[in-house]
Amino acid sequence: MTTTTTLKSFLGRGQHLGTAVMPEPLIQDKSYGELICSEFDTVCVEHHLKWQPLLLQGRGEHVYDFTMADLVVDWAQSKGLQVKGHTLVWHVTSPDIILKDKSPQQLREAIRRHIFTTCGHFNGRVKSWDVVNEALAPDGSFAETLFTSRIPAMELIEDAFKWARAADPNAELIYNDNKVECVHAEKSMKMFSMLESLKRAHVPIDGVGLQAHFDAAGTGLKRPATPGSLRDQIRRLATLGLRVNVSEMDVRIAKLDNLDEATRVQAQCDIYYKATAACYREPAFEGMTFWGFTDKHTWCDQFYWKDTPLLFDRDYNKKPAYFAIQDALKSVRDNAEKVKDDNEWTGSWVPQSPIASSQSEKRAKVGEALPDWQLEAQ
Ligand code: G3I
């Protein structure tokens, strides 16, 4: 009998590998659940654990419907998979219609009640929570949102983590954001300063999620983080006593449209291999979650363009990207050659930045609160 080695069989002690999960394909498609169980040890509910989708529509802020979230969490528990809770406080998926007329004190109370209700319902079934997601604008300033129009950002973040700790004392509490994978990016530096201040104030933050939604065709600030910059970012965050995870990784390649398919695939394999090998070698790194595992169910098709960013194709066949991840995990397990300290991507797939990135980048607006996919569509 051939025993197929799966991705999670290459993980070291304390390391995890996961994927975002949607309830519908879990119900409708047997292969979807089977592959998750064989390849990963962790799942993250992609949408249905957020504030808006948890409310029973039309019934105000006090009537929750946990059906779809429970379906995924209960399934994961039955399969021995760990669950990453995503996400308690994110302005993009909060019930704005309910919140928009509240006073600052009423808004704080609504957020506190949401955190206690949600963490209380899942108490003991969720290993970690993305307590606050994407509180920063692309330039590292605080995103100006419905929340921060009434509550100072740092106060909101501090309270959210304290409430989450009280609501679920055993869960790991994480701050999660995008475009913070490069150690030198302005947003990364400002995120570090924010976390340093919060840790100095003894706010109960245990970890950081680097989303890693990469576009191989990205230039300047949109270029994927090199392994060297990812590694240095993990090490710098570790100086605050924080654990680091890659929380939403996918690698879009469709916009490398002036290259042939083989070169686009090579770009994807390079990025997946080098990011994985660099991260999993770091003691403070605890694991990687892909934002889905099959191109059949990638959020990119709805939010960006038709792309093939993940490890399995639409028919659940393993792609070269799958083997790039497997090789990287194997190289870390066997302590094989260290990934070169690339501080610049090299290879025929790397697009030339039109002009020096500092000039080519349209300065992000201070306080920009639009999510990444809307900004990149501009
Ligand atoms: O479930 C409903 C379905 O009943 C309805 O028919 C359909 C059409 O309206 O909508 C479905 O809900 C959609 C949901 O995804 C499930 O597919 C929501 O409209 C849609 O807004 C939601 O998008 C998710 C988005 O976060 C907002 O929650 C994406 O799938 C998800 O990939 C994306 O993930 C975010 C992370 O949470 C944070 N980081 C960025 C990342 C990508 O944007």
Side-chain angles (χ1 to χ4, degrees), residues 48-110:
H48 295 80
L49 249 182
K50 295 164 188 171
W51 194 348
Q52 179 68 38
L54 278 177
L55 292 176
L56 189 58
Q57 297 315 297
R59 297 290 302 276
E61 65 189 282
H62 300 287
V63 183
Y64 281 70
D65 177 3
F66 290 103
T67 309
M68 295 305 260
D70 275 335
L71 186 149
V72 177
V73 174
D74 292 346
W75 172 81
Q77 296 259 297
S78 73
K79 301 294 182 184
L81 300 169
Q82 293 186 352
V83 178
K84 279 184 82 216
H86 175 80
T87 173
L88 295 170
V89 178
W90 185 28
H91 58 280
V92 172
T93 51
S94 59
D96 292 357
I97 294 173
I98 294 170
L99 302 176
K100 65 184 174 55
D101 299 323
K102 287 185 180 292
S103 70
Q105 189 46 37
Q106 289 168 337
L107 182 56
R108 283 182 83 257
E109 179 49 25

Side-chain angles (χ1 to χ4, degrees), residues 10-318:
F10 295 100
L11 292 172
R13 180 186 305 277
Q15 294 179 338
H16 299 286
L17 190 73
T19 177
V21 173
M22 283 286 189
E24 294 84 358
L26 201 53
I27 300 164
Q28 296 152 9
D29 186 344
K30 198 162 154 289
S31 307
Y32 185 83
E34 284 171 353
L35 267 176
I36 293 172
C37 290
S38 62
E39 299 290 344
F40 305 102
D41 70 353
T42 301
V43 295
C44 178
V45 183
E46 186 166 344
H47 170 68
H48 295 80
L49 249 182
K50 295 164 188 171
W51 194 348
Q52 179 68 38
L54 278 177
L55 292 176
L56 189 58
Q57 297 315 297
R59 297 290 302 276
E61 65 189 282
H62 300 287
V63 183
Y64 281 70
D65 177 3
F66 290 103
T67 309
M68 295 305 260
D70 275 335
L71 186 149
V72 177
V73 174
D74 292 346
W75 172 81
Q77 296 259 297
S78 73
K79 301 294 182 184
L81 300 169
Q82 293 186 352
V83 178
K84 279 184 82 216
H86 175 80
T87 173
L88 295 170
V89 178
W90 185 28
H91 58 280
V92 172
T93 51
S94 59
D96 292 357
I97 294 173
I98 294 170
L99 302 176
K100 65 184 174 55
D101 299 323
K102 287 185 180 292
S103 70
Q105 189 46 37
Q106 289 168 337
L107 182 56
R108 283 182 83 257
E109 179 49 25
I111 296 168
R112 191 195 65 79
R113 188 172 52 243
H114 170 62
I115 290 175
F116 273 86
T117 303
T118 306
C119 291
H121 177 82
F122 291 101
N123 200 323
R125 295 190 287 159
V126 169
K127 166 185 166 284
S128 62
W129 278 105
D130 289 344
V131 176
V132 174
N133 182 59
E134 299 174 31
L136 299 178
D139 71 340
S141 59
F142 285 115
E144 290 164 9
T145 70
L146 177 144
F147 297 141
T148 59
S149 63
R150 265 153 274 178
I151 307 171
M154 283 295 268
E155 188 183 308
L156 171 66
I157 296 169
E158 187 166 333
D159 284 344
F161 277 92
K162 287 179 177 173
W163 291 331
R165 176 68 89 224
D168 187 349
N170 300 314
E172 178 192 15
L173 304 183
I174 294 168
Y175 175 76
N176 192 55
D177 215 325
N178 59 47
K179 298 272 192 309
V180 286
E181 301 83 14
C182 283
V183 70
H184 302 302
E186 183 183 17
K187 183 175 179 181
S188 293
M189 315 274 252
K190 291 189 179 170
M191 181 181 77
F192 181 83
S193 304
M194 173 188 80
L195 293 167
E196 192 174 40
S197 305
L198 291 166
K199 291 296 279 184
R200 197 174 293 131
H202 306 296
V203 174
I205 298 182
D206 306 310
V208 182
L210 314 175
Q211 290 184 9
H213 287 297
F214 287 148
D215 177 2
T219 59
L221 293 180
K222 293 178 186 159
R223 178 154 288 171
T226 61
S229 60
L230 251 175
R231 178 186 303 118
D232 293 347
Q233 174 68 324
I234 294 167
R235 290 178 183 172
R236 184 171 64 184
L237 290 166
T239 63
L240 298 177
L242 294 168
R243 307 277 293 153
V244 183
N245 76 88
V246 161
S247 52
E248 307 182 12
M249 188 162 189
D250 44 28
V251 180
R252 302 191 302 275
I253 53 173
K255 287 300 180 194
L256 288 171
D257 39 25
N258 57 333
L259 300 174
D260 60 41
E261 176 63 11
T263 309
R264 282 203 293 271
V265 168
Q266 185 53 51
Q268 189 173 66
C269 291
D270 276 2
I271 296 168
Y272 270 130
Y273 179 92
K274 292 185 176 181
T276 304
C279 289
Y280 276 93
R281 278 198 169 82
E282 293 306 309
F285 187 74
E286 54 187 357
M288 186 174 273
T289 297
F290 301 104
W291 212 236
F293 66 95
T294 166
D295 293 334
K296 184 176 179 183
H297 299 292
T298 170
W299 72 290
C300 295
D301 290 356
Q302 183 188 347
F303 285 78
Y304 283 105
W305 49 75
K306 208 139 188 66
D307 213 313
T308 52
L310 296 168
L311 310 186
F312 291 81
D313 68 19
R314 289 178 163 80
D315 299 317
Y316 295 111
N317 300 307
K318 294 174 183 174

